Amino acid sequence: MSYSHQVLTKLKEQYPVQKLFHQAVEEVLESLDLEFKKDSKYQKHSILERIVIPEREIHFRVTWIDDKGKVQVNRGYRIQFNSAIGPYKGGLRFHPSVNADVLKFLGFEQIFKNSLTTLAMGGGKGGSDFDPKGKSDGEIMRFCQAFMTELFRHIGANTDVPAGDIGVGGREIGYFFGQYKKLANQFDGVLTGKALHWGGSLVRTEATGYGCVYFAQEMLKERNQSLEGKTCLVSGSGNVAIYTIEKLQQFGAKPVSASDSKGMIYDESGIKLDILKEIKEIRRGSLEEYANEVKSAKYTSIKDYPKDSNPLWAIPCFAAFPSATENEINENDAKALLKNGCQCVSEGANMPSTIEAAHQFINAKICYGPGKAANAGGVAVSGLEMAQNASMHPWSFEVVDKKLHQIMESIFNSASQTAKEFGEPTNLVLGANIAGFRKVASAMIDQGI
Ligand code: GLU
């Protein structure tokens, strides 16, 4: 049994129910086997056994009072996974599905993603099973304050710097920051994704989506192809999806789809971004409203989806940008995309493809950018926000956007060069995993036990 297989087997025994975490670890370890054959130092220092266990897992109770005066109880978490190359860094997710499994998978991905950005950030993730859907603004504020009342003692600008993720955006970051400042009596860069007039960075809102399109552009450039004039599929309708659509349109591509928890829209004439933004960013409504307002759009409710596939991925396209959530592309979906001629998949969400789906893309040798590389633009600009906060000097939109573009180029180059080193030039999963791992593992070795 190989070194990585031994570690994975033990991990599955220790945490039998954490299936998403197993999946994330398995995907990385599959790639690392080749590196371990070349270099025995990792095994000598028990790097794998160490890297799969978070340095610290914080679980806490969050109690708050809803609008009816009833006491509500939720679970809060922060997984401080790895601090070998910088303070823990990663978002907070508010969604009813959140548990230790989800956050350990996300925290594990974050270690390698942050390493790929070239910036000094360790890996962490947190959140709560709190469901923000249908909550009033007052309830959101009270929940965020209650959550931060516990979290504040564990974070700090040089310790752990949370940000947003699903269910946590600018509004929530504002409430967290207000409460942190009151408790810690400190105004510093303890959170990223802040508003511009109190320490936020330009381009942070757009960063994940823009970065994901820049990454696709890099993959395509190597094959003398471009996005111009091409039909693209985007899933999701949150921050990542919206700014992916915006950048695709700026590049002359035609994004034709979006989805939310209730269904999907297919607008053959191209998504009307101003209407989508109005519905999702201002009204916080459902995509059905888009179909009511835009005649060219076709709405499909999730109730009418087939059992074992997502109809969004059956629409013919040149490139796909999964920007909703984990495992949203299964093997059937991957096969449908390939059958319809899809040439490029750039992942805006974290682990949106199942292991089987990813294998389909890798074997077909299409341009396939795994999430930890393709969606690293968000956390990269968070790192740039930290740099601006530390220097007390904000940068212009052009400066930040240029740095984001350079970071995405450099992530592509390091993943691609590493893949070439192992004789699999198109396998960016392999390249990204090994390149991200090497930096963290060597820092761990340097720092001793
Ligand atoms: N939640 C984002 C991610 O998955 C951003 C994290 C951050 O900015 O710290 O990378």
Side-chain angles (χ1 to χ4, degrees), residues 278-295:
E278 153 81 23
I279 294 169
K280 286 294 170 183
E281 290 183 337
I282 298 164
R283 282 190 246 157
R284 295 180 192 268
S286 131
L287 282 178
E288 203 165 0
E289 296 173 33
Y290 180 99
N292 293 338
E293 284 167 46
V294 180
K295 290 281 153 298

Side-chain angles (χ1 to χ4, degrees), residues 119-135:
L119 306 172
M121 298 182 291
K125 202 85 188 190
S128 173
D129 58 359
F130 172 73
D131 186 358
K133 275 208 188 77
K135 300 289 189 297

Side-chain angles (χ1 to χ4, degrees), residues 195-433:
L196 294 176
H197 48 299
W198 45 273
S201 172
L202 285 159
V203 201
R204 178 62 191 90
T205 309
E206 298 86 350
T208 313
Y210 279 19
C212 193
V213 179
Y214 292 151
F215 195 85
Q217 191 191 33
E218 289 306 310
M219 292 193 288
L220 291 165
K221 208 160 74 186
E222 218 195 20
R223 301 182 186 199
N224 296 319
Q225 286 178 311
S226 86
L227 288 161
E228 207 182 329
K230 306 287 187 358
T231 298
C232 299
L233 296 178
V234 178
S235 63
S237 50
N239 168 272
V240 181
I242 285 177
Y243 293 96
T244 295
I245 292 173
E246 184 165 287
K247 187 51 77 180
L248 283 171
Q249 291 179 341
Q250 287 172 12
F251 281 178
K254 189 170 76 165
V256 294
S257 64
S259 63
D260 64 13
S261 60
K262 298 198 182 82
M264 58 162 279
I265 47 165
Y266 171 39
D267 190 345
E268 209 183 341
S269 64
I271 294 289
K272 316 294 172 282
L273 189 56
D274 45 344
I275 298 179
L276 184 67
K277 278 189 181 177
E278 153 81 23
I279 294 169
K280 286 294 170 183
E281 290 183 337
I282 298 164
R283 282 190 246 157
R284 295 180 192 268
S286 131
L287 282 178
E288 203 165 0
E289 296 173 33
Y290 180 99
N292 293 338
E293 284 167 46
V294 180
K295 290 281 153 298
S296 51
K298 184 177 171 291
Y299 179 75
T300 309
S301 161
I302 203 157
K303 291 185 209 118
D304 301 321
Y305 282 18
K307 229 187 177 153
D308 52 2
S309 65
N310 179 341
L312 194 149
W313 306 121
I315 302 167
C317 71
F318 171 78
F321 295 82
S323 313
T325 195
E326 58 268 13
N327 290 337
E328 57 171 309
I329 299 185
N330 66 21
E331 192 172 13
N332 295 335
D333 300 321
K335 283 181 179 162
L337 281 164
L338 293 170
K339 189 174 119 241
N340 288 329
C342 177
Q343 296 288 311
C344 172
V345 176
S346 193
E347 296 183 340
N350 288 311
M351 207 169 75
S353 303
T354 62
I355 289 195
E356 296 75 23
H359 284 161
Q360 289 286 329
F361 299 142
I362 294 167
N363 293 339
K365 296 189 165 43
I366 60 163
C367 296
Y368 173 47
K372 65 171 75 68
N375 75 35
V379 75
V381 175
S382 278
L384 301 180
E385 182 172 329
M386 289 162 72
Q388 292 169 80
N389 291 162
S391 68
M392 299 188 77
H393 181 66
W395 303 334
S396 70
F397 191 96
E398 289 68 31
V399 167
V400 183
D401 191 38
K402 195 165 166 215
K403 285 184 193 286
L404 167 65
H405 208 142
Q406 284 166 346
I407 289 172
M408 297 317 295
E409 256 174 51
S410 122
I411 296 175
F412 170 75
N413 289 334
S414 68
S416 169
Q417 273 159 23
T418 312
K420 284 177 186 142
E421 196 189 312
F422 288 89
E424 293 193 39
T426 58
N427 189 346
L428 298 182
V429 173
L430 180 83
N433 284 334

